[in-house]
Amino acid sequence: MGIFRRIRDISVATLNDRLEKAEDPVKLIDQFLWSTRDDIIQAERLQQQYMMHTNQLKAQWLQAEQNIEQKEKQAMIALKAGEENIARSLLTEKTMHVETANNYRELYEQNNNSLLELEAQLKELRTEYQMVYDKRAYYVARMESIRLQQRLNQRMSFNNGQQPGEVMRKMETRIQDMEYETQSLRELRQQNNGLYGNSLQTNRRSEEVDLELQQLKEKLNKEGWSL
C-alpha cells in the first residue's frame, strides 16, 4: 500500500481469486474499475496538494537563504562604518536565518520524496486500471461464448443424452482454469519523520558570531580598512 491508498473491497492481488468464484466476472471487474478510478481521482487531488505545499516550502527555504546573504552584507557595511555591535547583532540574526533555512530545506526534501513516491503509486494505479480494463473485453467475449456454447449443448443433449447441468459444470470449470498474473500492492510506508531539527544552543550561536565577526574584520583589513 502507498501513502494515499485506502483499503478497497477488491485489489489486484485478490481479484483473480474472486473471479474464480464469481457468477458474473464482468460485474466484478466493473466494481474493481470503479474502485480503482475513485482511487486515481483522489490520488490526483492529493498530488496537486503535495505539489503546492512542496513549492511553498522551497520558496520559504530560498527566502531564508536570501536573508542569510542579506544579513552578512549588512554586517559587512556595519563593520566598515565601525559599528561592531551592530555587526554582531546582524550576524546573530544571520545564524537564526541559517537555522530556518536548514529546517525548511529538510521539510522540502521530505515532501519532495513523498511527492515522488505518490507519483510512482499513481502511475501504478493507472497501469492496474488499464490492465483490468483490457481484460474486461476478453471476459465479455468469453461469457458470450459460454452462453452460446451452452445453448448449443442444450440442443445437442437430445442426441447425445448430455444433461444441462453437466454443460454448466464444464463451462464453470473453463472459467476457473483461467489465471491472471497479478501485481502486489506496496506496503504502507509510515511517514513519521520529524518536521524540525534541533534548535541551536545560545552559546554555540555566540561562538559562531565571534568567528564570523573575526573573519569579516580580517577581510576588511585586507581591503585597507583599519579596525
Side-chain angles (χ1 to χ4, degrees), residues 35 65 101 138 208:
S35 177
E65 293 286 352
Y138 174 80
E208 292 177 356

Side-chain angles (χ1 to χ4, degrees), residues 1-7 36 38-44 46-47 50 117-125 188:
M1 302 288 287
I3 54 179
F4 70 91
R5 296 294 294 276
R6 60 184 173 84
I7 300 177
T36 303
D38 184 65
D39 274 353
I40 290 174
I41 293 174
Q42 293 186 37
E44 289 173 343
L46 182 58
Q47 182 187 38
Y50 253 103
E117 180 189 357
L118 177 59
E119 290 172 350
Q121 293 178 355
L122 183 56
K123 181 179 179 181
E124 178 186 349
L125 266 184
L188 181 63

